[in-house]
Amino acid sequence: MPIPFERLALVAWVLGRERAGSLLGELGEESAVRAREHLQRLSALPSAQRQAKVAVEFGERADAAARLRRLMSDAPPMLRREIFRRLPPYHRTLFPDASLAPLATEVPPALGALADRLIREATR
């Protein structure tokens, strides 16, 4: 099954930023040109967008559970409850503490957005 050129460019970027072009040069002329085009687009992105692409393509961090535990221990109670509420079920099992039950009151939208962002940063 052929690997998409965008993914090859992403792998080359992750493995060796300054060598990425030469790594892709080993693909063959036509393939290398297409992969390098993707590499140019990738290198023009802001760092956060590149990191997001890597996370989406290659999945969660190996240390996601430890990072989530640290996040939960550092977060104030209201944010901790919102983080817990927004966690996927398989991550909720890390926190069997019943005191993390969501509040009955509505949470400000900014707190929800912050919780989402912190979860993404901890897991990807």
Side-chain angles (χ1 to χ4, degrees):
M1 187 166 111
I3 298 175
F5 292 111
E6 183 176 15
R7 194 158 192 191
L8 284 172
L10 192 57
V11 169
W13 178 269
V14 169
L15 293 178
R17 285 169 184 67
E18 52 283 331
R19 298 182 340 219
S22 63
L23 288 172
L24 295 173
E26 301 298 319
L27 291 174
E29 192 173 323
E30 184 181 327
S31 297
V33 168
R34 291 179 61 201
R36 282 187 178 133
E37 289 170 358
H38 286 289
L39 181 63
Q40 286 176 336
R41 282 193 291 278
L42 182 65
S43 62
L45 293 175
S47 176
Q49 285 183 324
R50 280 194 305 273
Q51 289 175 16
K53 278 190 158 303
V54 170
V56 167
E57 286 293 324
F58 302 114
E60 263 185 14
R61 299 175 58 103
D63 62 346
R67 290 170 60 97
L68 282 170
R69 284 188 184 105
R70 189 171 49 243
L71 170 63
M72 292 292 273
S73 70
D74 293 344
M78 191 172 188
L79 178 58
R80 188 178 314 135
R81 285 186 188 97
E82 188 59 17
I83 290 169
F84 182 77
R85 188 178 77 77
R86 291 169 181 265
L87 282 174
Y90 57 92
H91 281 308
R92 286 185 186 179
T93 60
L94 297 170
F95 310 101
D97 186 3
S99 69
L100 293 175
L103 296 173
T105 62
E106 192 168 317
V107 177
L111 187 65
L114 176 61
D116 285 337
R117 172 77 186 258
L118 291 172
I119 291 167
R120 272 194 314 276
E121 289 180 3
T123 59
R124 296 188 172 171

